[in-house]
Amino acid sequence: MILDGLPARTTLTKGHGTENDFVIVPDPDGALSAQLTPARVAELCDRRAGIGADGVLHVVRTARMSGYEEQATEAEFFMDYRNADGSVAEMCGNGVRVFALFLTARGFVKGGAIGEPVQFSVGTRGGIKRVTLKATGEHTADVTVDMGVPVFPTERGAVTVDVKGTPKPAVDVDMGNPHAVVFVDSTADAGTLYDLPTVLPAGVYAEGVNVEFAADLAPRHLAMRVYERGVGETRSCGTGACAVMIAAARRDAAATGTEYTVDVPGGRLRFVERADGHLEMTGPAALVFDVIPSATPQNR
């Protein structure tokens, strides 16, 4: 069984950010790290035999994360993120918002009254992320994340993505994890997205890639669908929406400070590129229900 071996005191939580959903595993001292094998993560994320999610947010003190201990001077907690297939990922933009809400809602970080902004940092494999959280309810919040400075790698050269049988040029964007953004007339042009779209040259992304299909709805307003590596199509991808926004801003020669909106199947995200080059993402986060290994799920 998927919960076998987890301590009875461990309460797992289901949460989502624009319907990109996660199983949250609180483990401040890292005692469960060895049990979060790729197979266990995949079981937790299974939508028929498990809890069901796009990934797992492992909540651990940064000082307990081997190789990332230096981040503990700024961030007490580390988002150890795993994709639904059990593979490790560098970052997850929607995940960090949900992670931040969990920290405040469960008292790991001191929160504020509803509508009162609280600022703190979260450690990730993609670097430290500064968040500003405003609670909108007991289990909901709007969260702004400093996603850092987007990078446009040049070493891979020209990259294309197959769109309805035709290779289309893609924009290579690194948000701490790799993205290939292709502009289309309609997000329906992405097709079913049951499988990873064909990206050429073959093997150009050695660690895999997230592929975003972006369509203009209005000036500075886009729609997006995404195929996430290790998951498949998801209802939202925060870093993917960041990649779409910055690719569109460069295409449009937009001035810094220009706000963009990206609609995903699960909701809406807002973005601003600051004068220092950092990209800020704002969107909702929600905690939905808890699962206690020794009992039946407790619905909120």
Side-chain angles (χ1 to χ4, degrees), residues 242-275:
C242 287
V244 165
M245 178 275 177
I246 201 65
R250 292 293 181 272
R251 178 200 63 183
D252 301 340
T256 56
T258 301
E259 182 171 314
Y260 275 73
T261 300
V262 177
D263 289 351
V264 294
R268 176 168 290 179
L269 297 166
R270 305 188 309 277
F271 300 89
V272 171
E273 184 184 10
R274 301 189 324 219

Side-chain angles (χ1 to χ4, degrees), residues 111-245:
I114 291 178
E116 178 184 337
V118 178
Q119 291 188 328
F120 55 95
S121 295
V122 172
T124 78
R125 291 183 178 85
I128 293 173
K129 304 302 176 187
R130 185 76 171 168
V131 303
T132 302
L133 182 147
K134 290 183 182 180
T136 55
E138 187 178 356
H139 304 295
T140 58
D142 283 329
V143 186
T144 297
V145 185
D146 177 353
M147 296 292 289
V149 179
V151 174
F152 293 86
T154 59
E155 66 272 12
R156 281 185 276 265
V159 174
T160 65
V161 171
D162 181 86
V163 180
K164 298 196 297 186
T166 301
K168 297 286 187 181
V171 183
D172 191 2
V173 183
D174 194 299
M175 290 300 311
N177 55 357
H179 298 270
V181 177
V182 59
F183 290 102
V184 293
D185 294 329
S186 166
T187 56
D189 293 343
T192 62
L193 287 187
Y194 293 149
D195 299 303
L196 175 68
T198 300
V199 179
L200 297 175
V204 66
Y205 294 94
E207 303 299 323
V209 64
N210 304 283
V211 180
E212 287 80 28
F213 295 82
D216 290 292
L217 299 176
R220 300 174 299 283
H221 186 182
L222 300 101
M224 179 194 89
R225 286 176 63 196
V226 59
Y227 186 98
E228 286 196 62
R229 61 176 179 169
V231 186
E233 183 174 13
T234 58
R235 300 282 293 171
S236 181
C237 174
T239 56
C242 287
V244 165
M245 178 275 177

Side-chain angles (χ1 to χ4, degrees), residues 23-34 36 56-61 65 77-82 99 125:
V23 174
I24 307 164
V25 180
D27 182 28
D29 297 321
L32 301 179
S33 296
L36 287 179
V56 165
L57 305 176
H58 179 211
V59 182
V60 62
R61 285 194 171 86
M65 281 297 298
F77 287 94
F78 190 95
M79 183 182 75
D80 175 20
Y81 181 65
R82 318 292 180 88
F99 189 92
R125 291 183 178 85

Side-chain angles (χ1 to χ4, degrees), residues 13-15 20-25 41-42 44-47 51-58 80-87 92 95 228 230-231 234:
T13 299
K14 178 72 174 284
N20 195 189
D21 58 344
F22 310 95
V23 174
I24 307 164
V25 180
V41 169
L44 288 170
C45 293
D46 190 296
R47 295 192 182 278
I51 296 172
D54 293 323
V56 165
L57 305 176
H58 179 211
D80 175 20
Y81 181 65
R82 318 292 180 88
N83 292 314
D85 67 352
S87 59
C92 178
E228 286 196 62
V231 186
T234 58

